[in-house]
Amino acid sequence: MREELNILRFLGLAAKAGKVISGFDQVESSIRKGTAKLLIISTDISKNTLSRLLDIGARGDVDMPDAYSFSTMYELGRAIGKPDRAIVAVTDQGFADKLSAELSKED
């Protein structure tokens, strides 16, 4: 539980630094542009939204960043100061590396 709070706080720090994008359309655009370095997908994402996300990677025309399933939509949104978010993308490699290391411990 403590690790989850630390991850959410660090995600909030990344958001305050302007290094987090949220919402499906913005995240999709970031993936296509290659600016998304890490994806965090809520554990309660809808099947439709998850399917749309997987379709982006299945086309093979873009490189999908590493992705982790973590926390709820409510908690992800709260961490970045927004309403519920099913998916967020981190656009800074430094923040992405740190979050990836922490999220790997959660798996």
Side-chain angles (χ1 to χ4, degrees):
M1 182 70 165
R2 184 165 174 79
E3 292 81 18
E4 182 176 351
L5 288 175
N6 288 338
I7 291 168
L8 290 169
R9 286 181 183 141
F10 194 75
L11 183 61
L13 181 65
K16 286 180 182 174
K19 305 301 182 184
V20 172
I21 294 172
S22 64
F24 186 85
D25 292 339
Q26 291 80 10
V27 170
E28 179 183 20
S29 177
S30 180
I31 292 168
R32 293 192 182 289
K33 291 177 185 174
T35 58
K37 308 301 181 196
L38 174 74
L39 300 179
I40 301 176
I41 303 165
S42 72
T43 56
D44 56 347
I45 190 171
S46 75
K47 289 180 183 179
N48 182 45
T49 303
L50 182 58
S51 176
R52 289 176 56 204
L53 180 63
L54 294 174
D55 285 347
I56 296 169
R59 291 186 204 129
D61 58 344
V62 296
D63 289 329
M64 289 293 285
D66 289 341
Y68 292 89
S69 179
F70 176 76
S71 203
T72 64
M73 290 190 291
Y74 172 78
E75 290 296 334
L76 287 179
R78 186 170 164 215
I80 63 171
K82 303 271 185 189
D84 296 5
R85 296 294 186 212
I87 183 168
V88 297
V90 178
T91 59
D92 178 81
Q93 193 64 56
F95 281 115
D97 290 344
K98 174 68 174 166
L99 282 165
S100 183
E102 294 300 317
L103 288 163
S104 293
K105 293 178 190 176
E106 287 285 304
D107 285 342

